[in-house]
Amino acid sequence: MPTTIASLLALEVPNILPESPGFLRPAGRLIWCSIVLGIGIAVAFIWARQPKKSAEPSTWAASILGGVVVFFLFVLAYGVWPHEWLTFASAHLNWGKDTYILTQDQFASNLPPIDVPRYVLADIVAATSYFVFGTINVLLFSMWQKRTVAEPPAVGEDGEPVEQLPAGALARFRSRKRTSAYGRPVTTSDA
């Protein structure tokens, strides 16, 4: 039974990943962070490819919501993911200062003449993640700035929008049906 203070401080966070003899449960937060970050980046790429609705600037609410989402993705990409990777590598994979990738005299005498501990590889992966996320960051910002503006609907002589016929092979056989604001067909008499 968790204590009240530990529950309030979220010190005992439940892990919903199943017990397994492998790495699944120890890498739980790294896995969840990677999934959420991947979904967030995918959604950002989808939004950046869609054209703007209009040439008018966005509202304050949309700008603040977008800023919160970007800040959330920044925190995941630059703070949480590298931290969780380094924690997983040092705790579960045992990539600390006492285990080595290369040791002196491993291949031949004095090749390499130094010992390379495994934590160096963990740090290289974390530093590479900054480069990868930074590249994705710049690419998304560039795509967002270069979005095209959606074309406004065509306006007829009387100032009302003109319906565009759908394009395609059978477009000439489709008829244009006019409806009122209430969804009823409009009948006009040309007298």
Side-chain angles (χ1 to χ4, degrees):
M1 185 87 187
T3 63
T4 307
I5 297 200
S7 296
L8 289 174
L9 297 176
L11 297 177
E12 298 175 12
V13 178
N15 193 345
I16 61 173
L17 294 174
E19 289 284 344
S20 66
F23 68 93
L24 189 64
R25 195 164 177 96
R29 290 183 293 200
L30 179 64
I31 292 170
W32 289 117
C33 176
S34 299
I35 290 171
V36 171
L37 186 59
I39 291 171
I41 290 173
V43 168
F45 269 108
I46 290 170
W47 281 348
R49 294 188 73 184
Q50 293 178 351
K52 296 178 191 177
K53 301 281 186 210
S54 68
E56 297 177 10
S58 60
T59 63
W60 277 92
S63 298
I64 295 211
L65 181 64
V68 168
V69 169
V70 168
F71 181 77
F72 176 72
L73 288 177
F74 278 1
V75 167
L76 281 180
Y78 297 115
V80 176
W81 197 94
H83 168 73
E84 291 300 330
W85 162 252
L86 291 173
T87 302
F88 174 70
S90 65
H92 183 70
L93 297 178
N94 195 23
W95 287 7
K97 294 181 179 183
D98 56 343
T99 58
Y100 297 95
I101 300 169
L102 295 173
T103 58
Q104 190 172 7
D105 299 331
Q106 182 176 356
F107 297 115
S109 87
N110 293 331
L111 280 177
I114 57 171
D115 294 333
V116 180
R118 288 187 180 171
Y119 81 90
V120 171
L121 184 61
D123 289 343
I124 288 172
V125 170
T128 305
S129 74
Y130 285 114
F131 176 75
V132 169
F133 292 138
T135 304
I136 291 171
N137 184 6
V138 170
L139 179 66
L140 280 171
F141 280 171
S142 175
M143 287 174 63
W144 187 260
Q145 293 294 325
K146 294 179 182 178
R147 289 181 304 153
T148 58
V149 177
E151 295 181 15
V155 178
E157 295 174 3
D158 56 353
E160 293 184 18
V162 176
E163 294 181 31
Q164 301 289 330
L165 290 176
L170 301 175
R172 64 178 174 220
F173 297 112
R174 296 184 185 128
S175 63
R176 181 183 300 167
K177 295 180 180 176
R178 293 180 48 203
T179 58
S180 69
Y182 301 105
R184 299 185 189 119
V186 175
T187 57
T188 56
S189 61
D190 297 330

